[in-house]
Amino acid sequence: MAGAEEQIEIPTEVADGGEPLMPKKEKKPHEKGITFRDFDHVKDFEDLVRTIVTLCNGEEQERLREMEDWIVKNEGTWVLAEGFNNFLGSVFHKADWPSEGRIAMMRLLSYGAEQDDIVLILHMDRKDHIVMNYAQQFDRLPIGEQESLAMLFCNLFETASASEWLLYISEWDAPGGGLPISNI
């Protein structure tokens, strides 16, 4: 309850209709987040293909062809089949696949993060948490992978839907058991 000494400010200016005008709040200028846009996405795609194509089975090679449609031909993430998540898991989590492949994949995801439909890839990952399980190992990744992962997360804040996905608090079971992990 307001004390006797406290004063409530009553607007003194009046609009045309006799209604009091409320004072306007000063707006802070919008500060754009840090994002990275200096990409040669065609070269990054070629690097990915060159690095992993011989390690891919037939289905994974089909995912590479779909990625070409998405990244190089700019057809949108809708061209990626549901098996893309499994392919992403292979790139991120198969220890015998080279680090250069993971770096190229994250650069391609970072490039695609400016498009609203990047969230379709992220939503494919709701069940398996491939991206977040990979990110949980950040301190154990080679420096190049750490830099690419940081760039990806920065760029995911370019769209509202992707940033909401990043900020949505969730918890899931760690791969192979153990304590639950989360994105907090």
Side-chain angles (χ1 to χ4, degrees), residues 63-118:
R63 300 298 80 82
L64 281 173
R65 282 187 282 284
E66 292 167 357
M67 279 194 73
E68 180 180 21
D69 291 342
W70 169 45
I71 292 292
V72 178
K73 297 178 182 174
N74 200 26
E75 293 187 19
T77 60
W78 66 271
V79 299
L80 303 173
E82 288 197 26
F84 181 77
N85 205 39
N86 294 331
F87 172 63
L88 193 59
S90 295
V91 174
F92 281 166
H93 296 289
K94 284 189 176 177
D96 58 335
W97 286 32
S99 178
E100 291 81 9
R102 287 184 279 283
I103 290 170
M105 176 63 82
M106 284 183 280
R107 287 185 58 82
L108 292 168
L109 291 170
S110 297
Y111 170 77
E114 75 175 337
Q115 302 162 352
D116 278 328
D117 65 353
I118 189 71

Side-chain angles (χ1 to χ4, degrees), residues 3-182:
E5 297 107 30
E6 292 183 38
Q7 298 270 336
I8 298 175
E9 186 177 321
I10 300 173
T12 55
E13 295 184 42
V14 181
D16 291 338
E19 293 289 319
L21 286 177
M22 298 304 289
K24 293 183 181 182
K25 278 188 172 179
E26 285 188 39
K27 290 185 180 182
K28 293 181 182 177
H30 175 71
E31 292 185 33
K32 188 169 171 27
I34 297 170
T35 56
F36 302 89
R37 289 283 112 219
D38 189 20
F39 292 103
D40 183 348
H41 61 285
V42 175
K43 181 192 175 302
D44 291 333
F45 179 73
E46 290 169 352
D47 289 348
L48 176 66
V49 171
R50 184 177 35 262
T51 306
I52 67 170
V53 71
T54 58
L55 302 170
C56 293
N57 62 31
E59 188 175 319
E60 292 166 336
Q61 288 183 6
E62 183 60 31
R63 300 298 80 82
L64 281 173
R65 282 187 282 284
E66 292 167 357
M67 279 194 73
E68 180 180 21
D69 291 342
W70 169 45
I71 292 292
V72 178
K73 297 178 182 174
N74 200 26
E75 293 187 19
T77 60
W78 66 271
V79 299
L80 303 173
E82 288 197 26
F84 181 77
N85 205 39
N86 294 331
F87 172 63
L88 193 59
S90 295
V91 174
F92 281 166
H93 296 289
K94 284 189 176 177
D96 58 335
W97 286 32
S99 178
E100 291 81 9
R102 287 184 279 283
I103 290 170
M105 176 63 82
M106 284 183 280
R107 287 185 58 82
L108 292 168
L109 291 170
S110 297
Y111 170 77
E114 75 175 337
Q115 302 162 352
D116 278 328
D117 65 353
I118 189 71
V119 78
L120 299 176
I121 294 173
L122 302 173
H123 285 312
M124 278 191 238
D125 194 30
R126 283 185 303 198
K127 179 181 166 234
D128 298 320
H129 303 281
I130 289 167
V131 174
M132 287 303 197
N133 283 329
Y134 177 72
Q136 286 286 329
Q137 318 167 57
F138 186 84
D139 61 328
R140 297 178 299 278
L141 297 174
I143 294 298
E145 291 181 40
Q146 288 181 6
E147 290 172 347
S148 296
L149 184 59
M151 180 171 43
L152 170 60
F153 275 43
C154 286
N155 284 5
L156 286 174
F157 280 96
E158 282 190 271
T159 64
S161 55
S163 59
E164 287 172 7
W165 180 86
L166 277 173
L167 295 172
Y168 181 79
I169 298 171
S170 64
E171 188 175 276
W172 62 94
D173 294 327
L179 294 174
I181 54 180
S182 74

